[in-house]
Amino acid sequence: MALLQGRWWLSLCLFAGAASAAERPQWLPFMGDEESQAHAIHLAVLKQRPDGLLESASRYPRTSGAGWSVEQSERGWYEYLERLIDCETGLYVDTALSLLDRDHHPVARRDTSRDDQLQQIALTQQDVRSHRWPGNSEIWIACAAARNPAIGNDARPMMIEDEGRYGYDYRAIGDAPPPDGDGLFARLRAQYDAELARYSVPSQAPAGETAAAFKGERWATVGNETEAWDLAGLRHRGAGIVEASQRVAYDPRRPPDVPEDADVRIDYKIDCRNGLIVPVTKAYYAPGSERLLQRISTPVFDTLDSLSRQSQWGDAWTSWLGPQRPGPAAMLCTAAAARCNGGKPQAPASLFEIDPEALPPVGGAPLLLAARARWLAHRDGFVPACPIGVL
């Protein structure tokens, strides 16, 4: 901690001496009006650590003299908070509070206690449900600025704020549509990946051993659906993409050279990070058999229209908590993840919390990393981490 404190202190001193000669802004205000320019992120100290955490700091107007001497309070013009951020989850802890004078010279500094950090990081079930990440906040702007220092304070995540889900740009794809369903899924996934890259470096779960052979009932339905999903045929090649097939009773667009009594299955791809589910192909089989007669792409424009309309109804999935309500994507992703977890099903998202009793007795990075590990363990319940159904 002493080494970290010394580096922060040196950074501030160097900044104070060189501010007038800086070639680019050292501060990024995160509140827009002129009177709020004191609220700013210190760009010069943003640093991605090897453990995946981001070192960050922000200045604020003075709010209290508590804990400072009279002389320190008289000299202090800004408060300056150092923090560590996990940009994948939006979790963070403040590590130190300083006073700066009008010219940003350091006046005094004190470390943040573990108890104070625990209040930031220990999330009850109610806190977990209200957490929105990514969201429009100072924390998100700091993460985005670490990835792109030229970012403006008007930058916003491409999320639907009140629901915590990503807002896909279906119109942009419709203006230059891909040729088939696989291409549509790839384009939508690329949009999401590009958004993640704006503010974080997602952690990659190590690939586990190939899942054991499927055991159980092959076909399953969701809710009141009558058309069943093939659980035995689930495939996961990696990156959280599950492939699954649904047996349907009727296809109004059956090709003329396919027998009327052919079995019809629609093949889907699901991005288990966010619940995106896209039909990519239709397959026709000889009645009552596994003999493939023909496979064609699903109609891209019809799928785009359906996805766009569904997006207006809200969503049952967030990248932070995963599936919130029953549905095909929830069933398929949790079933796939359970195959990688030795058959252990995911606990309901409503039970997820970051229990302070399960966190380490030290503060700072170990505390934040333990909280992130708790979230990663929760995510393992809906994002599979092993090959399934592939050689």
Side-chain angles (χ1 to χ4, degrees):
M1 180 63 74
L3 178 61
L4 181 63
Q5 175 177 344
R7 196 170 65 79
W8 282 107
W9 207 252
L10 177 62
S11 175
L12 278 170
C13 292
L14 291 175
F15 167 76
S20 60
E23 296 181 357
R24 66 178 179 86
Q26 293 289 310
W27 300 96
L28 176 63
F30 56 86
M31 297 183 66
D33 56 75
E34 289 296 325
E35 296 179 357
S36 300
Q37 295 300 294
H39 298 81
I41 295 161
H42 195 180
L43 295 176
V45 301
L46 294 175
K47 180 183 178 182
Q48 198 74 46
R49 294 162 44 114
D51 59 13
L53 302 181
L54 175 69
E55 294 178 4
S56 177
S58 296
R59 74 180 182 198
Y60 309 88
R62 286 290 307 280
T63 58
S64 171
W68 307 111
S69 69
V70 173
E71 187 270 337
Q72 289 169 342
S73 290
E74 289 178 349
R75 291 178 56 202
W77 187 255
Y78 298 106
E79 290 180 354
Y80 182 85
L81 265 177
E82 301 161 33
R83 58 173 54 105
L84 293 172
I85 304 172
D86 175 28
C87 292
E88 193 171 6
T89 63
L91 300 174
Y92 66 93
V93 292
D94 297 333
T95 56
L97 173 65
S98 298
L99 290 183
L100 310 181
D101 65 16
R102 287 176 180 261
D103 298 317
H104 299 96
H105 293 100
V107 173
R109 182 185 186 277
R110 61 177 183 243
D111 291 334
T112 305
S113 70
R114 179 186 179 273
D115 287 344
D116 287 342
Q117 293 175 352
L118 204 59
Q119 292 184 31
Q120 295 177 300
I121 206 68
L123 302 181
T124 65
Q125 292 170 15
Q126 181 176 353
D127 295 331
V128 161
R129 287 192 296 274
S130 63
H131 180 68
R132 290 290 181 263
W133 184 256
N136 181 19
S137 67
E138 169 198 355
I139 301 302
W140 184 85
I141 293 176
C143 289
R147 303 284 288 160
N148 176 18
I151 194 172
N153 65 352
D154 57 347
R156 297 291 183 271
M158 294 295 293
M159 305 299 289
I160 298 176
E161 187 87 17
D162 58 339
E163 298 175 13
R165 62 187 175 91
Y166 177 67
Y168 290 97
D169 188 350
Y170 299 111
R171 178 173 295 181
I173 295 177
D175 290 341
D180 54 28
D182 279 306
L184 176 59
F185 179 82
R187 289 273 295 277
L188 290 168
R189 184 176 165 92
Q191 282 190 6
Y192 186 76
D193 287 342
E195 175 62 15
L196 291 183
R198 292 179 65 204
Y199 63 88
S200 70
V201 182
S203 57
Q204 298 297 321
E209 295 185 3
T210 301
F214 177 78
K215 296 180 180 179
E217 292 292 331
R218 175 179 179 181
W219 298 97
T221 58
V222 179
N224 296 324
E225 286 186 351
T226 58
E227 298 175 327
W229 295 87
D230 183 4
L231 296 185
L234 285 181
R235 293 173 300 282
H236 176 246
R237 306 176 197 279
I241 300 172
V242 164
E243 303 169 24
S245 299
Q246 184 184 37
R247 185 173 58 194
V248 298
Y250 174 69
D251 177 20
R253 295 186 175 183
R254 176 182 55 83
D257 56 342
V258 171
E260 290 188 10
D261 60 349
D263 291 342
V264 185
R265 299 175 201 170
I266 300 179
D267 302 320
Y268 287 79
K269 285 187 175 180
I270 306 102
D271 187 340
C272 290
R273 300 172 303 171
N274 53 39
L276 172 70
I277 179 168
V278 176
V280 294
T281 57
K282 286 191 289 186
Y284 301 89
Y285 293 83
S289 78
E290 295 298 311
R291 184 165 64 88
L292 179 65
L293 301 176
Q294 190 175 146
R295 177 175 272 118
I296 62 174
S297 172
T298 51
V300 170
F301 279 109
D302 286 0
T303 302
L304 267 177
D305 180 63
S306 177
L307 291 172
S308 180
R309 283 187 285 106
Q310 290 172 19
S311 71
Q312 306 303 315
W313 307 337
D315 202 1
W317 200 296
T318 70
S319 56
W320 161 246
L321 278 181
Q324 306 295 289
R325 297 194 299 269
M331 179 187 72
L332 297 167
C333 288
T334 55
R339 296 272 302 275
C340 295
N341 296 330
K344 182 181 178 182
Q346 180 203 28
S350 59
L351 299 182
F352 171 54
E353 64 180 3
I354 299 175
D355 182 358
E357 298 299 323
L359 297 177
V362 294
L367 194 66
L368 184 54
L369 290 170
R372 181 174 71 178
R374 179 68 187 87
W375 174 77
L376 288 172
H378 171 72
R379 189 182 67 171
D380 284 345
F382 60 91
V383 179
C386 72
I388 302 173
V390 294
L391 298 178

